[in-house]
Amino acid sequence: MRETSDADVAESSSPWWTPARHADIKPFLAARGAITRSIRGWFDEQGFTEVETGILQVSPGNETHLHAPRTELIRGDGRRMTRYLRTSPEFACKKLLAAGEAKIFEFARVFRDRERGDLHLPEFTMLEW
């Protein structure tokens, strides 16, 4: 079996993933990483615990203005179960607080349907504390 060379990858790569295109976003990625590290460091200095709560939810939530994307899980026995991608980690974080956690924070991937525009994306990162 022949090894894949850089030339092979360059020839077969998508026009969406070229080194030139990546060079355009590389400064953004570096800045985002620095900001995230700084925020995590601040929360750590303040005695917070970083948590990671579930993304799949049984219910789409109670906020009538937020629309959760729907998905489906298929169990081992073939049964289908409807689930929703979370629109916010707030409820899960409140459960942790009610259970006795005092200071928590989360960088949460959240999802929204029916919201599109320059300021509204279907997927984004939210900081909850």
Side-chain angles (χ1 to χ4, degrees):
M1 180 175 196
R2 177 173 94 76
E3 281 191 37
T4 303
S5 71
D6 290 339
D8 292 333
V9 172
E11 286 178 23
S12 66
S13 67
S14 162
W16 299 106
W17 297 107
T18 64
R21 191 170 278 254
H22 178 71
D24 289 345
I25 65 167
K26 193 170 184 170
F28 170 78
L29 295 174
R32 185 180 190 280
I35 291 166
T36 302
R37 281 189 302 279
S38 179
I39 292 170
R40 276 195 173 103
W42 185 86
F43 277 108
D44 188 48
E45 289 170 5
Q46 305 304 313
F48 281 75
T49 300
E50 185 170 3
V51 298
E52 188 174 335
T53 59
I55 290 177
L56 291 176
Q57 308 293 316
V58 174
S59 164
N62 295 325
E63 300 93 348
T64 57
H65 64 287
L66 298 178
H67 304 279
R70 182 177 152 167
T71 190
E72 210 172 49
L73 295 179
I74 302 174
R75 296 172 41 124
D77 61 6
R79 289 189 329 185
R80 296 176 180 273
M81 301 180 331
T82 298
R83 292 293 182 261
Y84 299 88
L85 300 177
R86 68 178 173 190
T87 58
S88 169
E90 181 180 3
F91 186 62
C93 286
K94 284 183 176 179
K95 286 196 245 181
L96 290 171
L97 293 169
E101 291 294 332
K103 298 169 88 173
I104 59 172
F105 77 99
E106 179 176 9
F107 284 103
R109 297 300 295 171
V110 295
F111 307 85
R112 308 268 172 96
D113 259 351
R114 301 186 198 169
E115 295 184 35
R116 299 294 185 274
D118 291 341
L119 299 176
H120 294 91
L121 297 173
E123 175 183 358
F124 57 96
T125 302
M126 174 186 287
L127 174 61
E128 183 80 25
W129 78 94

